[in-house]
Amino acid sequence: MQVPPQFEYERATSIEQALELLARLGPEARLLAGGHSLLPMMKLRLAAPEHLIDIDPLADELGYVREQDGELRIGAMTRHRELLDSELLRRRAAIFADAERVIADPVVRNRGTIGGALCQADPAEDLSAVCAAVGARVVIRGRDGERVVVMPEFHRGPYETAVGEAEMVTEVRIPLSPGFGSAYEKVERRVGDWAVAAAGASVRMDDGEIARAGIALAAVGAGVTSAEAEAALAGRRPSEEAFAEAARLAVEHCSPVDDQRGSAEYKRHVAGELTRRALRRATARALREEG
Amino acid sequence: MQVTVSVNGEERAREIEPRLLLVHFLRDVLGLTGTHWGCDTSNCGTCVVLMDGRPVKSCTVLAASAAGHEITTVEGLERDGVLDPVQQGFHEEHGLQCGFCTPGMMLTARALLDENPNPSEAEIREAISGQICRCTGYATIVRSIRWAAEHPAAAGAAAETAGEAAP
Ligand SMILES: Cc1cc2nc3c(=O)[nH]c(=O)nc-3n(C[C@H](O)[C@H](O)[C@H](O)COP(=O)(O)OP(=O)(O)OC[C@H]3O[C@@H](n4cnc5c(N)ncnc54)[C@H](O)[C@@H]3O)c2cc1C
Ligand code: FES
Ligand code: FES
């Protein structure tokens, strides 16, 4: 029987209270959002925080998807299920629906949150790649105020983020522009499993050319974005050759390892193929005006 | 710590350890052993209960986090001695063999039908895709849920007929 190690339990009913508790309880305190990464880790003794601060009561306040000031804004406690069901996201950033359909299973999706997923920063986490691919910015709040960081700065490495000790993520922001399109492609061994490899892509089309591209990979090593692959597409007309080159550059920068989900070589191959497919689909969507 | 959880419409207050998982709260503290407990790793889905009407894996929810939410377990499906159409569907279509996955399957089915009263086979299979059955091969589970969709007032209708039959 797997049970979490002992801890003291606190419940935060406001963001301010959560931040206060984090500051007061110090580094041995952790936030509990959906608990679908943290509780399994605690059962395995990979994590043993002395205090858990349950932010379940913030699910209403921080559970939303809306459009504001030319951005999509997603509250940190928005659950996978809400991301999948959001009409707004489907219309404006279809990459979320692509990814959510294949993140875990419908029951897990009823609990897991976007804030928890990004803060977990598991290298196989799909939403980190999704957010990186669309150029998302993450709002981190502390008692002294907010800062907004871009994904490459937020995601410091496996299980490591820019969130400080007495801080929390409150919102994710996705810039919108005309001619925007996005897509996500994932290969998994069976329903509900983590990716063997996955790729997210976004493009902003301007006058038939790719003005800006975003590419991010999941499950193939630490660095999720490839600036070179993105730069290789800027100013080019979409073509199979351009996509293939970008995919080649993207996989050059990844570092998959052999494990039960496949060999490093196989994952590299899959990541390249999925990058091409994601770029193709993102471009098709952009030309149909997703943004 | 003290926790108050609403289970099948009844407020249950108990003194618990903060680390107690909802599945053990239901089974060991409240004695509601209809909720099964299997893999412990949020994979099998036998521990599924409804939290505010949505299926969740109760081995991966703290009992403490359930405070303020409405929990429905398999014991809460039957009303006043009348089976839920989903339960009757599993009976009619042989939706179980050993019965280990059944409570979780039926609760997910109930939640699905509450949102989508006429789901296609594909929608049913998607809804139960986070839950494992080692016996049925799923075909009869899908048929059971379809049966419930086609007989939304099954138990109620049966009761009515019975009422008419007895003058
Ligand atoms: C069976 C199973 C399969 C899964 N499959 C996939 C998959 O295919 N793809 C995928 O991407 N994910 C998958 N997941 C992970 C799932 O998406 C988790 O729900 C998610 O990673 C974590 O979200 P959570 O809200 O449960 O976070 P929690 O477990 O509550 O928290 C995770 C971490 O983030 C911290 N945290 C949470 N919220 C905040 C915040 N607002 N600010 C600062 N820190 C915070 C916590 O302190 C903790 O350290 C799977 C999980 C399970 C159990
Ligand atoms: S016991 Fe909870 S999912 Fe298996
Ligand atoms: S009936 Fe035996 S596991 Fe489903």
Side-chain angles (χ1 to χ4, degrees):
Chain A
M1 171 164 155
Q2 293 183 8
V3 288
Q6 281 178 343
F7 55 84
E8 300 284 329
Y9 178 86
E10 306 277 354
R11 215 171 152 78
T13 51
S14 69
I15 297 170
E16 291 67 33
Q17 194 192 358
L19 294 173
E20 200 132 304
L21 283 165
L22 280 172
R24 179 155 62 78
L25 299 172
E28 290 307 315
R30 292 277 279 275
L31 296 177
L32 179 73
H36 272 53
S37 288
L38 187 50
L39 292 176
M41 295 227 306
M42 289 173 69
K43 287 179 181 181
L44 297 170
R45 300 300 186 272
L46 295 172
E50 281 170 18
H51 302 270
L52 278 190
I53 304 166
D54 195 347
I55 54 173
D56 182 78
L58 306 186
D60 285 336
E61 187 182 352
L62 289 180
Y64 56 83
V65 181
R66 56 176 172 245
E67 193 173 341
Q68 191 183 327
D69 301 332
E71 293 178 318
L72 289 172
R73 298 195 168 180
I74 304 174
M77 286 295 287
T78 309
R79 301 193 196 274
H80 293 298
R81 160 71 183 269
E82 265 82 41
L83 296 174
L84 179 58
D85 286 353
S86 166
E87 259 315 305
L88 181 60
L89 279 181
R90 204 161 292 211
R91 238 178 332 106
R92 306 289 265 159
I95 187 172
F96 277 92
D98 287 351
E100 286 296 353
R101 261 192 287 274
V102 288
I103 289 178
D105 61 60
V107 183
V108 169
R109 293 199 293 263
N110 281 338
R111 285 302 287 170
T113 65
I114 186 168
L118 296 185
C119 292
Q120 182 67 20
D122 186 309
E125 204 87 51
D126 292 293
L127 287 183
S128 298
V130 166
C131 287
V134 295
R137 299 181 306 149
V138 183
V139 181
I140 302 174
R141 192 181 302 178
R143 282 197 302 173
D144 304 328
E146 274 180 7
R147 55 204 178 96
V148 184
V149 302
V150 294
M151 275 306 288
E153 235 173 86
F154 177 84
H155 192 98
R156 294 257 167 97
Y159 310 103
E160 213 189 315
T161 69
V163 182
E165 251 163 40
E167 292 184 321
M168 68 181 282
V169 169
T170 53
E171 192 175 78
V172 179
R173 297 180 179 169
I174 296 127
L176 287 172
S177 53
F180 181 80
S182 61
Y184 197 71
E185 296 278 349
K186 170 173 169 176
V187 165
E188 54 195 346
R189 294 177 306 172
R190 57 173 168 79
V191 169
D193 198 15
W194 297 84
V196 171
S202 78
V203 293
R204 185 160 63 73
M205 299 297 296
D206 188 9
D207 205 15
E209 282 179 359
I210 299 172
R212 211 193 154 284
I215 297 174
L217 306 179
V220 286
V224 287
T225 41
S226 164
E228 278 144 71
E230 293 174 353
L233 287 171
R236 289 183 66 173
R237 295 201 166 266
S239 69
E240 280 304 312
E241 296 72 53
F243 296 161
E245 189 190 335
R248 188 180 56 74
L249 287 167
V251 298
E252 231 169 59
H253 290 272
C254 73
S255 47
V257 292
D258 296 335
D259 63 14
Q260 79 277 17
R261 289 194 175 79
S263 67
E265 190 195 351
Y266 168 65
K267 291 180 187 181
R268 204 178 276 277
H269 171 78
V270 171
E273 176 57 31
L274 295 183
T275 303
R276 277 196 298 278
R277 288 186 197 170
L279 280 167
R280 234 179 257 145
R281 210 135 63 92
T283 309
R285 283 173 174 165
L287 295 172
R288 283 202 313 268
E289 277 290 335
E290 176 181 297
Chain B
M1 65 177 287
Q2 178 79 15
V3 71
T4 306
V5 185
S6 172
V7 181
N8 300 328
E10 215 181 299
E11 296 281 318
R12 306 288 206 117
R14 291 290 190 281
E15 188 64 31
I16 59 162
E17 257 194 305
R19 63 171 169 170
L20 187 70
L21 298 165
L22 180 57
V23 64
H24 302 306
F25 177 74
L26 295 168
R27 289 178 55 86
D28 305 342
V29 179
L30 301 185
L32 295 171
T33 52
T35 301
H36 289 168
W37 165 56
C39 69
D40 238 345
T41 57
S42 26
N43 282 291
C44 75
T46 197
C47 65
V48 162
V49 300
L50 302 186
M51 196 163 176
D52 302 329
R54 287 192 172 176
V56 300
K57 293 180 175 175
S58 64
C59 69
T60 312
V61 176
L62 293 178
S65 302
H69 295 284
E70 177 62 48
I71 303 298
T72 307
T73 69
V74 68
E75 289 91 346
L77 278 179
E78 176 197 318
R79 295 274 155 100
D80 304 323
V82 180
L83 293 183
D84 187 282
V86 167
Q87 292 173 303
Q88 213 172 324
F90 272 68
H91 175 78
E92 299 289 335
E93 297 290 341
H94 310 284
L96 62 146
Q97 289 176 28
C98 79
F100 190 64
C101 69
T102 315
M105 290 289 182
M106 293 199 303
L107 287 164
T108 297
R110 180 71 271 151
L112 171 67
L113 294 174
D114 284 345
E115 274 175 32
N116 177 2
N118 192 21
S120 65
E121 173 170 347
E123 286 168 333
I124 293 172
R125 286 186 180 271
E126 166 65 15
I128 60 170
S129 63
Q131 289 157 258
I132 292 170
C133 177
R134 280 290 179 249
C135 302
T136 63
Y138 304 97
T140 56
I141 295 179
V142 174
R143 279 208 290 275
S144 302
I145 299 174
R146 271 307 312 166
W147 190 96
E150 282 154 23
H151 302 78
E160 240 167 63
T161 326
E164 276 162 24

